[in-house]
Amino acid sequence: MSKATPKNMGRTAFEALVSDVYAGFGCNPPGERSRDIWFEQCGHVPSGPPLEWIRQRLLDGATLPRNLGQAIRVLWEEWQANHPEQVVSDSRCCPECDVPGVIFAWAPARDPRTGTETWQRLVRRCRCHPGGNGETRRDIEALGLMVMPRGYVGGTVAFERERLGLYPDRGNHGGPVPRAVRAFE
């Protein structure tokens, strides 16, 4: 269910990123020494979806960052905070996790399309998450959130259907199926 983070970007991917960003702002890339320093700052950033997201964020910016290595590192940290379920490796899991490094929780919410009461699915960092600032199930419940019991048979969809009343059997009532409002849509 969880995805391990891809391997670190290589120098070739980094050079392509620098070239794209500078071309996007109509500038010539800086010298090799600057690029070496920047690569030292952000060479640990993985390739794949995180790097594509960072590239797009840099190109969408109003100005070209003066210290591109630092900008990439800051955007990588932002990506990790917004995608915890994709950051941890499959081998890392503690007794608190639903999937490695992640605990699923739900908060009462209002569907923005219909105005009806529903639930918002949240992905919370577990205390074992390498990004730090994790929580235990008890911490999350103390915030007033509904937490799925560990190892719930059928996973999040079964929990939403059986415990929260979402996704009922359409054959029984013929109406539309309520949907959970997801925090990371």
Side-chain angles (χ1 to χ4, degrees), residues 8-15 17-18 31-46 67-74 76-77:
N8 295 349
M9 73 172 148
R11 185 65 187 236
T12 304
F14 171 75
E15 292 292 342
L17 175 65
V18 171
E32 187 175 347
R33 182 68 184 134
S34 293
R35 295 192 318 270
D36 288 344
I37 292 169
W38 291 343
F39 187 71
E40 287 175 19
Q41 292 177 317
C42 65
H44 65 282
V45 173
N67 183 342
L68 190 59
Q70 179 186 20
I72 292 169
R73 194 175 66 244
V74 166
W76 166 233
E77 290 169 3

Side-chain angles (χ1 to χ4, degrees), residues 5-10 12-18 20-21 45-61 72 75-76 79 83 86:
T5 305
K7 66 178 186 167
N8 295 349
M9 73 172 148
T12 304
F14 171 75
E15 292 292 342
L17 175 65
V18 171
D20 289 352
V21 170
V45 173
S47 58
L51 193 58
E52 289 303 314
W53 183 86
I54 289 168
R55 177 187 175 278
Q56 194 57 53
R57 290 290 306 271
L58 289 167
L59 290 171
D60 290 344
I72 292 169
L75 287 170
W76 166 233
W79 190 91
H83 300 87
Q86 295 184 32

Side-chain angles (χ1 to χ4, degrees), residues 109-118 176-182 185:
R110 188 171 296 281
D111 189 319
R113 294 181 302 172
T114 64
T116 59
E117 292 294 321
T118 188
V177 176
R179 72 178 186 92
V181 178
R182 290 180 178 80
E185 284 190 329

Side-chain angles (χ1 to χ4, degrees), residues 1-4 83-106 121-130 134-135 137 140 147-152 154-157 184:
M1 187 158 176
S2 92
K3 301 174 186 170
H83 300 87
E85 75 284 358
Q86 295 184 32
V87 177
V88 294
S89 68
D90 289 329
S91 62
R92 182 183 193 110
C93 197
C94 78
E96 294 281 329
C97 301
D98 290 316
V99 294
V102 173
I103 298 173
F104 294 111
W106 286 261
R121 184 188 303 171
L122 307 171
V123 178
R124 307 292 292 208
R125 283 185 184 183
C126 181
R127 63 190 165 124
C128 75
H129 192 283
E135 303 165 293
R137 290 177 175 279
I140 296 168
V147 177
M148 181 176 77
R150 179 147 168 43
Y152 195 85
T156 57
V157 173
F184 294 109

